[in-house]
Structures are given as structure tokens and as C-alpha cells.
Amino acid sequence: MTFNNTTTKDGIIQDCEFWLFASNYGQITSNTNLLNTFTSLTNRALDSVTTAILEADDRWEFDDTTYTDYPIATTDIVSGQTDYVLAVSHLKVLRVEWLGPDGVWVLGAPIDLEDMTVARDEFMATPSTPIYYDKLATSIFLYPTPNYNATGGLRVYYQREPNYFQSTDTTKKPGFATICHRLVPLKACYDFAIANNLSDKITVLRDEIAKRELELRNFYGRRNKDEILVLRERNRGGFFWGEPTY
């Protein structure tokens, strides 16, 4: 579903006109204020759908397909520097890796301030090759502090916000599965209906959203059907879902 198609009438904006104005097309596209309003509502709907996808996806991590790069941030490791600011918008940090002084990539182990039994500045205070990383605000902190330089030596894998629409967009599409696109105009219309007390629309839109959200969660929760998870025994008893078998 494209953002705005006044010819074929199958765009997101046209679907909003279908649900709210009984297919009286042009009510939004011919009104600059309304078009800007629905662009904003559509972007809030993208936020909502993305949140639902991130809650539902499993081992196949979601990323908006309209981005032209991968969600991997890279920066230099600087000797003596503990704090590395994330220069990208991110919703979830999936993993952190860094290049050791021997040129071998290391998978970092996450740690939290609550895990440190000493003051943060005293935790692994002797500079060396990092072992742990902590996420704090918009930064990654490495412990111990690196005692070497490495160009492009820090990599952060993350999940990010959706790629938002502009009011001038036409052929741009939401960056998730096509079969779930209609959730975007439905959610935009629902917010508009609530704000404008369109009681005859609210219930219908709410029920339609609930049905399609269930479809979305089922779809994204089952995308990794090519993996077969097996039960593995814990060291201290009990079982857990382990790595997939192939």
C-alpha cells in the first residue's frame, strides 16, 4: 500500500478517506491542513505497528525494509575511552561486538549497573581488552576501558524506529509485510475519530484494528518456521528452549 495514490485510490491516504468520508475521495488530499494532519497520524500509526512487531518477532529480527542500510552502527575504539555515544536512533540494542588488539572480533557480554558491587569508576578499572558493555541513556560503556585503538572497531546491532512519511510522498510504502499495511490507515483514522468524537466510526475502527493486530502478531511471531527449537538441559536442572537444529 503506497502512501498517496489519487489515481488508483489504493493509497494509505485514500483508505483513510474510505473509512472516514465514505469514499468521498479528495477530502484529505485537497486540504493541505488535513493532509499534514494525516501524515502525522500515519507516522504515529507506524510507531504503533512497529512496537507490535518488535513485541512479536522472535529470532528473525525486524527492520523497516525501506531503509537502504543495515541496522549496524560502527565507530572507532579509542584508547582510554569508556563511553561511546550511539549516533543513531535505536529502539533495541541486540548485541555489541568489538575488535580486540589481536584483530579478532569479540562478542561483548551485557552488564548493568545493578550487577556492579563497587562504584562504576572502580569496576574493572585497569584498562585492557573489554569484556562487558553497559547501555546507559544513549551511550555504550565498555569495561574494562580499552587500552588500544581500533578503527571501526566497535559494532552495535540494533532495531530502529520506522522510516516516516512526508506529506509529499506518493509511492513510498510502509517498511513491513504488505499483508499488514492496512493497519496504518486504520490506526490513523481511529485517532482522528476519537479526537473528533466520531462515535459512529470509533467502534468499527477499533474492532477492525483488533482483528488485524492479531493477524500481525501471528505473522511476525511465526516467521522463523525454518528453525526447529529443541529442549536442552540446564547445568543446574530443568530445561529451556535451546539453539535451533538445522
Side-chain angles (χ1 to χ4, degrees):
M1 180 177 282
T2 60
F3 180 67
N4 189 356
N5 192 323
T6 58
T7 302
T8 61
K9 306 295 190 292
D10 60 354
I12 290 172
I13 295 300
Q14 285 68 43
D15 210 37
C16 290
E17 292 174 332
F18 167 82
W19 285 104
L20 292 175
F21 305 115
S23 299
N24 189 4
Y25 296 111
Q27 292 294 302
I28 297 174
T29 54
S30 62
N31 185 316
T32 300
N33 286 333
L34 267 185
L35 180 58
N36 288 334
T37 296
F38 273 90
T39 301
S40 177
L41 291 173
T42 296
N43 288 332
R44 300 295 74 74
L46 286 179
D47 285 338
S48 178
V49 173
T50 298
T51 299
I53 292 174
L54 294 180
E55 290 174 351
D57 71 353
D58 190 11
R59 294 176 59 87
W60 185 351
E61 287 86 4
F62 167 76
D63 187 50
D64 190 309
T65 58
T66 60
Y67 284 112
T68 58
D69 61 345
Y70 289 111
I72 305 172
T74 303
T75 191
D76 297 339
I77 286 181
V78 179
S79 180
Q81 180 176 324
T82 302
D83 176 6
Y84 294 83
V85 177
L86 295 171
V88 296
S89 174
H90 66 282
L91 296 173
K92 285 185 179 181
V93 171
L94 302 177
R95 66 189 286 156
V96 180
E97 301 173 348
W98 48 78
L99 199 62
D102 56 359
V104 177
W105 283 95
V106 178
L107 173 60
I111 196 170
D112 188 74
L113 286 174
E114 294 182 355
D115 303 323
M116 301 177 188
T117 58
V118 297
R120 183 170 67 88
D121 289 345
E122 301 303 322
F123 179 72
M124 304 190 80
T126 302
S128 183
T129 301
I131 300 173
Y132 301 104
Y133 69 90
D134 181 29
K135 304 180 293 291
L136 180 62
T138 59
S139 292
I140 296 290
F141 289 79
L142 302 185
Y143 300 99
T145 300
N147 62 349
Y148 61 94
N149 298 312
T151 302
L154 180 63
R155 290 195 300 221
V156 179
Y157 297 77
Y158 61 96
Q159 288 178 289
R160 53 190 161 184
E161 65 187 14
N163 194 353
Y164 296 117
F165 291 111
Q166 302 292 325
S167 62
T168 54
D169 283 329
T170 54
T171 59
K172 184 176 178 180
K173 300 179 180 181
F176 52 87
T178 303
I179 59 174
C180 303
H181 280 186
R182 208 173 193 192
L183 259 174
V184 174
L186 284 168
K187 285 177 172 288
C189 289
Y190 182 67
D191 285 351
F192 184 85
I194 290 177
N196 291 275
N197 198 28
L198 304 179
S199 55
D200 59 325
K201 304 288 185 182
I202 292 173
T203 301
V204 173
L205 290 166
R206 182 174 59 235
D207 292 346
E208 192 69 21
I209 288 171
K211 180 179 70 175
R212 293 178 183 272
E213 279 189 335
L214 179 60
E215 294 173 351
L216 178 141
R217 293 176 188 278
N218 286 338
F219 174 80
Y220 277 98
R222 299 173 181 173
R223 287 199 305 167
N224 57 323
K225 298 295 285 185
D226 56 325
E227 298 181 350
I228 302 173
L229 295 178
V230 296
L231 282 172
R232 300 190 187 279
E233 188 174 1
R234 290 185 186 272
N235 291 334
R236 288 179 289 181
F239 294 88
F240 68 104
W241 288 108
E243 293 299 315
T245 58
Y246 299 94

